[in-house]
Amino acid sequence: MVFKPSQEFMAELLGTMVLILLGCGVVAMVVLFQATDPAIPGQIVNGGYTNITLGWGFAVLMGIFIAGTISGAHLNPAVTIALALTGRFPWAKAPHYIAGQFIGAFLGAAIVFAVYHAKWLGFDPGLANTAGIFSTFPAVPGFWPGFIDQVVGTALLMALILAIGDKLNNPAGAAWGALAVAFVVMAIGISFGGMHGYAINPARDLGPRLFALVAGFRNTGFENGVWLVPVIGPIVGAIVGALIYDTFIGKPLLRAGEALPGIKGTDPAYNAEHQR
């Protein structure tokens, strides 16, 4: 099937919007509906961070279901850039994919704020302390701790996306790939979420952060450069993850597939064209 750029743009926009609706929505649930009774803390009542990691994983899954057939559901500029850099995706399509991702993320954040508006103003009337519902902030001050975290997290994400989708590595990957990618995001959140909120996606972080700025939130991270970490780090990490996968897994599998083309599940023609 061949789709128009406008259709791919809308698929990425809607898929990323769903990602943010469900992802930022679960953070809003945990933060805005904290229990007021100290004996029953919100972390127990609402699931706390466990709910957040599960919610973001399911958000990715639903975003893939929305956009997967038309655009491949990148939903992430870092993924789009890494795929283009490694020859899996045409650079000519990158601008409308990335534009759709950022606009979808911005709109998703706006809808979350609209849904929770009354509760939000009761919880934080000055909009001074809740920008973190939309975007990520560092646990440790400075650029490098969060940057390293984002590079490692996004490298894991990108390498595992390629491993799941590689027909030479996982012949049945297409049947369960969306769920597997959702599990990857959950695992990264569980294992590496503390240092910088596991944005691992420039659009997921910057789109909602821009909405927070426009909507009048304070302490958004633009005033001190915090916003740069979850933009630069994921792009570097995705490229590193893709190159590591290709060097140590993808290309050896390609060579093995060319030598033994009869092995079930291999697709040497596709890999020879797209992974050299």
Side-chain angles (χ1 to χ4, degrees), residues 13-197:
L13 186 155
L14 293 172
T16 310
M17 187 176 75
V18 167
L19 168 68
I20 298 303
L21 280 170
L22 297 176
C24 289
V26 71
V27 181
M29 274 291 297
V30 171
V31 172
L32 300 179
F33 289 87
Q34 297 178 45
T36 55
D37 183 348
I40 311 175
Q43 292 289 344
I44 296 174
V45 173
N46 295 319
Y49 188 68
T50 300
N51 268 20
I52 289 173
T53 55
L54 291 173
W56 275 108
F58 288 130
V60 169
L61 180 62
M62 300 307 158
I64 293 172
F65 284 156
I66 288 286
T69 300
I70 291 181
S71 69
H74 295 187
L75 314 182
N76 184 337
V79 169
T80 299
I81 291 168
L83 291 175
L85 189 68
T86 55
R88 293 176 170 87
F89 183 75
W91 280 108
K93 290 188 176 186
H96 68 260
Y97 267 62
I98 292 172
Q101 293 154 7
F102 275 105
I103 294 171
F106 185 95
L107 293 175
I111 295 170
V112 169
F113 187 58
V115 170
Y116 285 107
H117 185 261
K119 179 65 177 177
W120 213 306
L121 294 184
F123 184 86
D124 182 21
L127 302 180
N129 304 305
T130 49
I133 291 175
F134 292 122
S135 47
T136 63
F137 289 85
V140 178
F143 177 84
W144 290 108
F147 177 78
I148 293 169
D149 167 74
Q150 290 298 292
V151 169
V152 171
T154 318
L156 275 170
L157 174 69
M158 192 70 235
L160 288 167
I161 287 173
L162 294 180
I164 291 163
D166 190 340
K167 292 182 180 181
L168 291 167
N169 200 24
N170 285 294
W176 58 282
L179 183 60
V181 172
F183 284 154
V184 169
V185 173
M186 289 182 193
I188 293 170
I190 290 168
S191 299
F192 293 104
M195 286 297 289
H196 211 292

Side-chain angles (χ1 to χ4, degrees), residues 137 206 208-213 219-227:
F137 289 85
L206 185 56
R209 197 186 298 271
L210 285 169
F211 169 75
L213 182 68
N219 304 312
T220 58
F222 285 111
E223 66 280 357
N224 54 13
V226 164
W227 69 276

